[in-house]
Amino acid sequence: MPLDFPHISRLETRVSLDRWQTLKLGGLVLLCLAWVALGLVGHAPWKGEDARTIVIAWEMVNTGDLLVPLLIGEPYFVYGPLVAQLAAVAMKMATPWLAPHDAARLAAGLLLLIMLGCVSMAGHELGRYHKNSGKSDGKAQRWLPMLILIGSVGLFERAHQLSPQLGLMAAIALGMWALALALRRPGFAGVLLGGALTMGAFSYSLAAWFWLLLPALLLPCLHSGWRQKSYLATLGIALVLATVLCALWPLGLYQRSPELFAQWWAAQCPSVWWTGQRTVENLGWLWRNLPWVAFPAWPLILWLVWIRARGFNDGFRTPQVILPMCVAVTGVVALLLVPDVRPIEAMVLLVPLALLAAIEVETLPRGGSAGLDWFGILTFGLAAIALWFFWWDAYINGLGSYAAELFRDAEVGYQPTFRLRGASVSLFLTVLWILLVRPARQSNQRAVLNWAVGMMLIWGLVATMWMPYVDSRRSYEVVAKMLRPYAAEGCVASREVGEAQRAIFYYYAQVKTLPEQKPAATTCSLLLVQYDATNLQNVSELEGFEMLKSGSRYGDDTEMYVLYRKAEL
């Protein structure tokens, strides 16, 4: 019997394609893991939510109490305890090998993995309802939202800082997967949605329910797929599960102390989160900042609106568009109502925006995808060349005045030390980027991939080669060392010192600083004053105090810390 050579040829082709798909899948997984891992360790707690959350986790480890989050020894209920609890567990497990703050930041890596995984599953599930989807469309929608998130400018640096907002992002991604899955598996979707509501409440606050429950209630009004009795079962399961789970922590607080429960309940008041007093200012902030926070998602979303508004692919009536659009609009409303919108709050919007941006990537005109591709290659290529050049010049000659002015650094002459591991990783990322962006099969998906790889390259260079420099400029450890000799004197009153800085001083120097407005601060013999850039020239003796020491961060001429002691009468 003769051999069926065509059959063998087709079989070999299929095996070859399967191997290629496996390699491609492995490469994408490694890309995501590398982006998550870079920058998690190797730097001190930085001002903002990173410092607050790390210090809360550190106090949990020291006291052995995971129930009551403490910041500088006082209960802290501005945000939920979940992110700090995860950080405390990571700190307890990894501290022998890592510094406590580096170990705590492993929790941020876990939350990033959850967010990317849930966004991938939500995209894959929603890809089922694309009108003209082919067999590979679901796979494309599984990876494209992840690549858009990795390439988002708004996640540069902030995604690798430990914050409650990371927990909220992971919860929203999980909730969107659940709402997409409700069209097909309502029971399991209810469990996932209940878990998402619980994660959001425990990571952020009960305000997180607004981000998910309002879209969940609006969906039946917008699409018949969610107007089913099975969807009512999904909502019922989610609400019952979330209510039971979310009650556990406040009940534990009440059992510990009714006063603790009262403090928590006061922090959950809607007027705390949604004042509505700065709606116009917040709208202006979003108008100015969202274009760079959400790049490259927003140009892709504009293309989606242009295509769907003309009636292609069922317009806006598909679940693939309706679900992320509902969550995105809800998020914008929430940001308009908060007392003070910040970039770290706005980055939560990137989860639904990434899902929206991925929908019509395949229909982009060749000129549009090529423009994004070449813009990314030029931007990241020139940025990488500049980072390598400035680092080499600083290593040989010290940081020049031109570079110091560019980096807004007041200290000229900084010389980085050569670190083989950091230099090796930086060189590997640079070579990998060069190999990946070489001319290859032109496709819209490849343009998105190249952008994500380019963003990872720049972040990788900053997180390895430049991290010692960045950390020395952003770390408050040098100021904490100034305070450390006075830790035995008890408390230190503070004036104009931010909450995050006070937390860092407590972490490094074990010095409790109390705002001078508090009655307990009157008993402190020491006073720490922060002067900003407008008052640096007016630093002088205070009446009734004698100046002991002054200090600031390396290369920083925007703030100065001066320690005073009450003069003896």
Side-chain angles (χ1 to χ4, degrees), residues 26-38 113 116 150 456:
L28 290 170
V29 170
L30 286 177
L31 170 66
C32 295
L33 292 177
W35 179 75
V36 168
L38 289 170
L113 289 175
L116 292 177
I150 291 174
M456 190 191 70

Side-chain angles (χ1 to χ4, degrees), residues 11 111 115 146 154 186 215 283 343 351 375 452 495 550:
L11 181 61
L111 293 172
M115 178 189 69
M146 297 176 61
L283 181 61
V351 174
F375 175 70
R495 178 183 300 174
S550 64

Side-chain angles (χ1 to χ4, degrees), residues 180-450:
L181 197 62
L183 297 172
R184 201 167 54 88
R185 298 182 60 187
F188 183 50
V191 175
L192 291 180
L193 184 58
L197 292 171
T198 305
M199 178 184 290
F202 280 177
S203 298
Y204 194 69
S205 75
L206 288 179
W209 283 36
F210 180 81
W211 285 76
L212 289 173
L213 272 188
L214 182 59
L217 296 175
L218 289 176
L219 288 175
C221 304
L222 301 173
H223 194 273
S224 59
W226 284 286
R227 285 196 295 268
Q228 308 293 331
K229 292 182 180 179
S230 58
Y231 183 63
L232 290 178
T234 299
L235 293 180
I237 293 171
L239 288 173
V240 171
L241 181 62
T243 301
V244 172
L245 293 178
C246 288
L248 295 178
W249 182 47
L251 286 176
L253 292 175
Y254 185 82
Q255 188 177 14
R256 176 76 62 86
S257 169
E259 294 181 357
L260 290 174
F261 176 82
Q263 293 181 39
W264 169 81
W265 183 249
Q268 306 305 310
C269 180
S271 61
V272 174
W273 293 96
W274 300 312
T275 61
Q277 298 176 356
R278 300 191 60 186
T279 302
V280 177
E281 291 87 344
N282 291 346
L283 181 61
W285 188 96
L286 289 175
W287 177 259
R288 294 188 304 271
N289 293 277
L290 200 57
W292 66 263
V293 171
F295 194 86
W298 68 264
L300 300 175
I301 294 174
L302 289 180
W303 174 250
L304 164 73
V305 173
W306 170 254
I307 286 293
R308 296 302 178 103
R310 297 166 65 191
F312 292 104
N313 297 334
D314 274 347
F316 299 102
R317 298 189 301 272
T318 64
Q320 197 178 23
V321 176
I322 289 173
L323 173 56
M325 188 169 288
C326 271
V327 178
V329 171
T330 301
V332 170
V333 173
L335 292 177
L336 291 178
L337 297 177
V338 297
D340 183 26
V341 63
R342 298 174 295 160
I344 199 169
E345 304 282 351
M347 76 176 187
V348 181
L349 274 177
L350 296 177
V351 174
L353 292 183
L355 286 167
L356 274 176
I359 296 174
E360 293 293 346
V361 167
E362 285 299 323
T363 63
L364 270 175
R366 184 55 56 90
S369 63
L372 175 64
D373 198 9
W374 281 109
F375 175 70
I377 291 174
L378 289 174
T379 300
F380 297 124
L382 292 174
I385 291 172
L387 288 173
W388 273 106
F389 170 77
F390 282 126
W391 182 87
W392 182 255
D393 183 57
Y395 178 72
I396 299 298
N397 305 311
L399 190 69
S401 58
Y402 61 93
E405 184 177 355
L406 178 65
F407 296 154
R408 298 180 181 178
D409 194 325
E411 184 183 10
V412 178
Y414 169 84
Q415 283 189 294
T417 58
F418 180 79
R419 300 187 179 187
L420 180 60
R421 182 174 59 183
S424 301
V425 174
S426 299
L427 183 60
F428 171 76
L429 291 174
T430 305
V431 173
L432 178 64
W433 177 79
I434 294 173
L435 293 176
L436 287 175
V437 300
R438 289 175 58 195
R441 184 177 66 87
Q442 189 70 25
S443 70
N444 295 351
Q445 293 183 26
R446 184 162 187 90
V448 175
L449 172 62
N450 285 346

Side-chain angles (χ1 to χ4, degrees), residues 55-72:
V55 173
I56 291 172
W58 177 68
E59 294 199 59
M60 284 181 174
V61 172
N62 290 339
T63 61
D65 185 5
L66 296 177
L67 181 65
V68 183
L70 300 174
L71 184 64
I72 320 178

